[in-house]
Amino acid sequence: MTLRARVMLMSAVAQRRGTLRRAFDTLQGPTVNGVRLRAPRSSTREAALLEETVRERTAALEAANVKLSRSLEQLRATQAQLLFADRLIALGRIAAGVGHEINNPLAFILSNLEYIHQELQQKEHLSEQDRQEVLEALAETRDGAERIRLIVRDLQTLSRAEDVGTGPSDLGSVVRTAAKMAMHELRHRARLVVECEGLPPVQGNGARLGQVFLNLLLNAAQSIVPGEVEKNEVHIVACESKAGRVAVEVRDTGCGISPEHRERIFDPFFTTKPLGVGTGLGLAVCHGIVTSLGGTLTVESAPVRGSIFRVTLPVAGAFAQAPRASQQADAVA
């Protein structure tokens, strides 16, 4: 730096210091013979008014914060009620089919019990053939009772309200349970193919994830006209899409979704179904559940070409590093 430049820089700094000093003196009040005079009363009043304004604004902000916290609590409670209401709607949609599923095993349970009762009443000593027939009837009865027990268990899992907790969930089991619950809607419309073996646990909640896949399967079924089972298919395929993520696709050969509707299908209360048939909540709730678990829900669809709903979910934390560890071991070997 040249000498002239240094002189100019020092002059500018001195000028700046003088400006700051004058501003400070103005704020502190005038001086006489080196003695600082008390600030004028007007300045004191202005400071008091400013302080009072700050206190009022602070109190207003605190009140607004309390009100916002209460509104947030109410919103969370409403969201929980909405999730449960949609689940009950899904249960209502499958109620008739579940009744049919229960009636079938119940019918042969009662028939077999009547047969066993008559055999034991009419014959004091059973021949080996009669004894074998009674044992077979008992085995069928036990199988039917076990089938009913599983159906009831699946209903209880889906309808459970206390589902706010999350943790490692067996996604394959969740998908298979949802497929069983939706089978009554699918059996007269399309073949169901499920490929979801060997998946790592995902971070989620079994009841909520079951609600998601049940809704997707019921929507897939309702997009297909009944009566042409061999021509149509609903295919669920799951795999590890990338490190730390699992993807599940629900593909159908149904009527598809038009472009103008595809942009809105996740909007609450949007539905193309007739009045009284659909609420427009199913896909919106599914989207909310998946995103709340750190996942994504997307759709690919076109009229007449069917639809693909793709759910991605994070692998549970304790299991997310397992593939990397095995790959490193292979590389070392």
Side-chain angles (χ1 to χ4, degrees):
M1 182 181 294
T2 64
L3 179 59
R4 182 177 179 180
R6 290 183 181 180
V7 171
M8 293 180 64
L9 178 60
M10 291 175 65
S11 177
V13 170
Q15 187 177 1
R16 179 69 61 84
R17 286 177 178 173
T19 302
L20 292 175
R21 171 57 63 182
R22 286 192 296 274
F24 181 76
D25 290 342
T26 301
L27 291 174
Q28 295 295 320
T31 60
V32 177
N33 296 327
V35 178
R36 180 72 60 188
L37 298 180
R38 182 174 297 180
R41 291 183 179 179
S42 59
S43 299
T44 304
R45 286 196 300 270
E46 290 176 0
L49 288 173
L50 180 60
E51 188 175 343
E52 180 64 23
T53 302
V54 169
R55 281 199 297 266
E56 290 176 356
R57 295 287 177 87
T58 301
L61 287 173
E62 289 177 352
N65 189 39
V66 171
K67 186 176 180 180
L68 183 61
S69 298
R70 291 175 180 170
S71 299
L72 184 59
E73 291 177 1
Q74 293 175 355
L75 182 62
R76 288 172 177 168
T78 303
Q79 184 184 25
Q81 293 173 359
L82 182 63
L83 291 174
F84 189 55
D86 178 75
R87 192 176 310 159
L88 293 180
I89 291 171
L91 284 172
R93 291 165 68 183
I94 65 174
V98 169
H100 180 73
E101 291 290 332
I102 290 178
N103 278 334
N104 282 342
L106 189 60
F108 70 75
I109 285 175
L110 294 174
S111 175
N112 285 349
L113 288 176
E114 180 66 21
Y115 164 74
I116 293 169
H117 183 262
Q118 291 178 359
E119 287 292 306
L120 294 177
Q121 272 190 330
Q122 294 174 2
K123 301 177 181 178
E124 295 183 0
H125 301 287
L126 296 177
S127 65
E128 184 60 29
Q129 182 179 356
D130 291 338
R131 178 176 174 277
Q132 191 64 33
E133 289 177 356
V134 169
L135 290 175
E136 290 177 359
L138 284 173
E140 291 176 355
T141 302
R142 181 188 60 196
D143 292 341
E146 177 65 13
R147 172 62 182 158
I148 292 175
R149 186 187 71 81
L150 293 175
I151 292 173
V152 172
R153 183 202 63 185
D154 293 340
L155 282 172
Q156 289 174 333
T157 298
L158 185 63
S159 62
R160 191 178 299 121
E162 299 81 6
D163 62 353
V164 294
T166 61
S169 298
D170 184 351
L171 190 58
S173 177
V174 168
V175 171
R176 286 189 293 270
T177 297
K180 286 189 293 182
M181 301 297 287
M183 197 60 209
H184 77 282
E185 284 279 353
L186 288 165
R187 64 163 50 94
H188 302 299
R189 300 170 186 261
R191 293 171 286 109
L192 177 63
V193 180
V194 180
E195 298 179 29
C196 56
E197 303 300 328
L199 298 175
V202 297
Q203 188 68 24
N205 176 281
R208 286 191 174 183
L209 290 175
Q211 183 177 357
V212 169
F213 291 108
L214 178 59
N215 265 317
L216 294 180
L217 286 169
L218 291 177
N219 284 344
Q222 292 179 354
S223 71
I224 299 171
V225 178
E228 297 185 340
V229 176
E230 295 304 320
K231 294 183 179 180
N232 291 291
E233 180 179 277
V234 174
H235 190 183
I236 311 174
V237 58
C239 64
E240 290 189 71
S241 60
K242 55 183 178 180
R245 309 288 288 186
V246 171
V248 184
E249 292 185 353
V250 180
R251 309 169 182 168
D252 67 66
T253 56
C255 60
I257 306 170
S258 62
E260 62 270 20
H261 292 157
R262 191 170 61 242
E263 300 300 322
R264 300 185 58 197
I265 58 172
F266 296 125
D267 293 347
F269 303 107
F270 174 77
T271 179
T272 59
K273 297 176 183 177
L275 184 64
V277 176
T279 63
L281 289 176
L283 288 175
V285 169
C286 289
H287 190 270
I289 291 173
V290 173
T291 54
S292 71
L293 296 173
T296 60
L297 174 57
T298 58
V299 61
E300 297 177 15
S301 184
V304 189
R305 296 176 57 186
S307 304
I308 301 175
F309 283 86
R310 183 177 296 104
V311 178
T312 65
L313 293 164
V315 174
F319 303 88
Q321 300 300 324
R324 295 182 183 178
S326 61
Q327 290 172 3
Q328 290 175 358
D330 293 341
V332 172

